Amino acid sequence: AQSVTQPDIHITVSEGASLELRCNYSYGATPYLFWYVQSPGQGLQLLLKYFSGDTLVQGIKGFEAEFKRSQSSFNLRKPSVHWSDAAEYFCAVGARVLTGGGNKLTFGTGTQLKVEL
Amino acid sequence: GAGVSQSPSNKVTEKGKDVELRCDPISGHTALYWYRQSLGQGLEFLIYFQGNSAPDKSGLPSDRFSAERTGGSVSTLTIQRTQQEDSAVYLCASSPATGPNSPLHFGNGTRLTVT
């Protein structure tokens, strides 16, 4: 079964500083990987996704993530954080395992990002 | 365009009561998912609908939980005889197709509090 680990529950960075959020996954085949962001009281918004090809993927809001098969990691990065980036970030791995071909996403427990001005 | 709509946004109920949570997916999206987000935990898959196929109920935690999707559009998640451990945010998501190439679009969720 697939699983996702986000080892950092809380991270605090200063505005303008760089950011890296860690994600490690466990899955027996080529993973489909996602990063979502959740602002307070909101649903989850897709930041970026990786299916195949270039291991460095670009997303919205200036985020990027790098897939490293050898490390089973898919870390999220941003060169310069803005105060509006404060939110909770979820890494997820997807597998087409549901009846009818659905994509079951398994989420990590999330990393809460705080941005200091 | 309109996103996934969930109602109510907040629901407080007494232990033992039944509750219904509603989800309006994005028009034209054939796949619909329910997830549960408990405090301090990640998202837990509950149930999946695809078109007119039988739903995948493999994530429902007990037989007190059920869901239906009428006409391939609106879905209702029902929790019978609610317990305090059912308190969580229930998120609905829809997708235009099946498979990993089709990311999920989430609603803002229903926050359920069982007192």
Side-chain angles (χ1 to χ4, degrees):
Chain A
Q2 66 250 44
S3 66
V4 177
T5 301
Q6 293 181 249
D8 304 306
I9 299 174
H10 299 279
I11 282 186
T12 300
V13 299
S14 299
E15 189 175 38
S18 63
L19 171 70
E20 182 169 29
L21 302 182
R22 296 184 289 166
C23 172
N24 291 96
Y25 68 90
S26 174
Y27 184 57
T30 300
Y32 300 94
L33 296 162
F34 305 81
W35 274 99
Y36 283 85
V37 60
Q38 185 180 35
S39 299
Q42 303 292 312
L44 279 73
Q45 180 184 20
L46 179 68
L47 282 177
L48 48 78
K49 59 188 178 184
Y50 170 79
F51 297 147
S52 64
D54 192 347
T55 56
L56 183 64
V57 294
Q58 302 297 320
I60 62 171
K61 305 184 179 184
F63 286 92
E64 65 179 27
E66 186 171 13
F67 169 61
K68 292 186 177 180
R69 184 186 299 276
S70 61
Q71 299 178 18
S72 297
S73 69
F74 189 56
N75 294 349
L76 182 71
R77 302 194 295 246
K78 187 169 185 179
S80 178
V81 170
H82 188 264
W83 65 266
S84 61
D85 293 325
E88 189 156 22
Y89 291 79
F90 292 92
C91 180
V93 60
R96 194 169 183 172
V97 295
L98 300 178
T99 301
N103 180 19
K104 180 179 180 180
L105 289 184
T106 300
F107 288 84
T109 52
T111 297
Q112 185 71 47
L113 174 65
K114 180 180 177 182
V115 180
E116 291 183 331
L117 301 178
Chain B
V4 176
S5 177
Q6 292 187 246
S7 60
S9 55
N10 282 282
K11 176 71 175 179
V12 180
T13 190
E14 294 180 351
K15 177 181 174 181
K17 300 282 189 181
D18 296 352
V19 294
E20 285 190 352
L21 313 180
R22 176 187 169 103
C23 172
D24 268 290
I26 295 173
S27 178
H29 281 196
T30 58
L32 186 147
Y33 303 76
W34 283 97
Y35 278 80
R36 178 169 70 175
Q37 184 177 24
S38 302
L39 187 63
Q41 300 186 27
L43 280 78
E44 173 188 16
F45 166 76
L46 296 177
I47 189 169
Y48 160 74
F49 295 89
Q50 170 56 34
N52 295 320
S53 302
D56 187 312
K57 305 178 183 180
S58 58
L60 294 179
S62 78
D63 58 7
R64 296 186 296 105
F65 287 73
S66 63
E68 63 177 20
R69 189 179 185 192
T70 54
S73 180
V74 172
S75 177
T76 302
L77 177 69
T78 301
I79 308 174
Q80 295 179 310
R81 306 181 302 282
T82 53
Q83 304 294 314
Q84 288 186 331
E85 60 262 29
D86 298 335
S87 296
V89 176
Y90 290 82
L91 291 166
C92 176
S94 69
S95 180
T98 62
N101 288 333
S102 191
L104 277 57
H105 300 260
F106 283 86
N108 289 344
T110 294
R111 180 175 298 278
L112 175 65
T113 303
V114 182
T115 62

